[in-house]
Amino acid sequence: MAGEGLGQGRALIVLDTSAIFALLNRKDPDHERVKKAFLEDRGPYLVPVAILAEITYLARRRLGYEALASFLKELEEGKLAPEYHPDDIARARELVSRYRDLPLSFADAMVIAAAERNGGRVLALDSDFKVVAREGTITVLP
């Protein structure tokens, strides 16, 4: 499975759409803060497959072809590692149910599930991640 063995026992950073978008968009108010958090870790950085359609759509639509191509190149070169595990579906369902009063999407829940399996670190800007972090299963960066 993608992501297995990549960190050799250390906590990996799982990226959310919000963080990837801020990294791609130099005009984003959170760009420098997210970039700093990203550069402070040697990677690899995990990208749940559940967010791939979301980020590629947003990159192309809001930032243009060059941003999309840059993201895809990072995936191709292995700097960003697609991540999926079958158990994440059940955990995502549990999270979406438990936090039904939040704007916690399926994609966000899959990010959380992947983070929980890989050391708990999530690079995200959405406030719903901070609410879930109170459980103690994830740490939200930056």
Side-chain angles (χ1 to χ4, degrees):
M1 224 86 22
E4 290 184 6
L6 289 174
Q8 299 172 345
R10 67 184 180 84
L12 300 175
I13 294 177
V14 178
L15 302 177
D16 176 54
T17 301
S18 60
I20 296 169
F21 188 80
L23 283 169
L24 291 172
N25 183 5
R26 289 186 175 96
K27 294 178 184 176
D28 190 290
D30 292 305
H31 175 78
E32 289 302 320
R33 186 168 68 106
V34 172
K35 181 180 172 184
K36 182 178 185 284
F38 188 82
L39 294 175
E40 287 175 352
D41 189 89
R42 68 181 185 269
Y45 310 96
L46 304 179
V47 180
V49 296
I51 73 164
L52 289 176
E54 185 177 65
I55 190 58
T56 56
Y57 172 79
L58 287 172
R60 175 67 188 230
R61 181 162 175 95
R62 294 190 184 169
L63 302 174
Y65 170 77
E66 294 302 323
L68 173 62
S70 175
F71 174 72
L72 294 175
K73 184 176 181 186
E74 298 285 316
L75 283 171
E76 181 182 358
E77 293 176 350
K79 295 175 185 171
L80 303 176
E83 173 68 10
Y84 172 77
H85 191 280
D87 294 343
D88 292 351
I89 301 287
R91 179 62 175 146
R93 183 182 48 76
E94 179 185 324
L95 288 164
V96 169
S97 177
R98 181 181 310 152
Y99 294 102
R100 65 185 79 187
D101 58 328
L102 292 178
L104 185 73
S105 68
F106 172 72
D108 291 347
M110 290 293 281
V111 169
I112 293 164
E116 289 174 339
R117 282 187 304 95
N118 288 285
R121 297 190 308 158
V122 176
L123 187 54
L125 301 172
D126 301 342
S127 61
D128 49 332
F129 288 98
K130 291 179 180 157
V131 173
V132 176
R134 293 182 196 144
E135 282 188 21
T137 62
I138 63 169
T139 301
V140 181
L141 308 171

